[in-house]
Amino acid sequence: MTTENLIETLKTQIEGLIEDPKHFLVDVRIKPTNNIKVFLDSDEGLPLSALVQYNRKLYKQLEEGGLFPDGNFSLEVSSAGVDEPLKLHRQYAKNVGRYVEVTLADEAGTRLEGKLTAATEDGIVVETEAGKGKKKEMKQETILFTDIKTTKVQVKF
């Protein structure tokens, strides 16, 4: 089974395990060493107890399902942390009001930093600052999802 097929199979299994409609699958990655990483998120925060339950249920399914006949795999189920880029529209909607760094898919890899003010079906709106003091200007930048390479939430203190 190819890695892509294995990932699709795992995604189907994981989505079948998710009972809370606020929880959702973000990504599945498999390293050549059969280290499986599952990233979940939630509209209202994902408690550690939920991650533990998902991990236990999926681990049991993997052991019983025979995807790794020799049992040669490891499994990590975690929330999509701030170091992980946003991938799904649901994640963008959840993070409206937070500061983000958007890397555009242009040749220069242009970066924009600002406050995520909206997430539509087609893209996002980021409020950026230009200038300082009295010359400070706020601009609304509309960016289509097709023009985005990555978006990461920025932690501001």
Side-chain angles (χ1 to χ4, degrees), residues 75-89:
L75 175 65
E76 295 175 38
V77 177
S78 67
S79 61
V82 292
D83 57 331
E84 289 292 319
L86 303 180
K87 292 189 175 231
L88 306 173
H89 180 271

Side-chain angles (χ1 to χ4, degrees), residues 10 13-14 16-19 36 38 40 47-65 73-78:
L10 288 170
Q13 282 184 301
I14 295 161
L17 292 175
I18 297 174
E19 296 170 356
I36 303 163
V38 176
L40 301 173
L48 184 59
S49 59
L51 293 171
V52 170
Q53 284 182 340
Y54 290 130
N55 189 306
R56 288 180 180 158
K57 287 178 183 178
L58 182 59
Y59 194 89
K60 184 177 179 185
Q61 278 188 5
L62 291 174
E63 278 190 323
E64 294 171 355
F73 71 93
S74 62
L75 175 65
E76 295 175 38
V77 177
S78 67

Side-chain angles (χ1 to χ4, degrees), residues 44-152:
E44 298 176 357
L46 195 58
L48 184 59
S49 59
L51 293 171
V52 170
Q53 284 182 340
Y54 290 130
N55 189 306
R56 288 180 180 158
K57 287 178 183 178
L58 182 59
Y59 194 89
K60 184 177 179 185
Q61 278 188 5
L62 291 174
E63 278 190 323
E64 294 171 355
L67 282 175
F68 301 93
D70 55 358
N72 184 22
F73 71 93
S74 62
L75 175 65
E76 295 175 38
V77 177
S78 67
S79 61
V82 292
D83 57 331
E84 289 292 319
L86 303 180
K87 292 189 175 231
L88 306 173
H89 180 271
R90 229 169 144 172
Q91 289 179 289
Y92 282 95
K94 170 188 171 181
N95 286 290
V96 167
R98 297 184 78 182
Y99 285 88
V100 294
E101 178 184 77
V102 181
T103 303
L104 300 179
D106 60 8
E107 287 183 27
T110 307
R111 293 176 186 236
L112 295 170
E113 280 193 40
K115 187 176 187 178
L116 180 63
T117 58
T120 66
E121 291 301 316
D122 301 325
I124 60 174
V125 179
V126 177
E127 184 178 83
T128 60
E129 293 180 15
K132 295 191 180 216
K134 291 182 179 180
K135 294 184 179 185
K136 186 166 137 180
E137 246 185 276
M138 303 303 273
K139 287 175 148 178
Q140 297 281 328
E141 304 266 354
T142 301
I143 307 164
L144 297 175
F145 286 123
T146 55
D147 296 335
I148 297 174
K149 182 176 179 183
T150 60
T151 303
K152 288 191 176 186

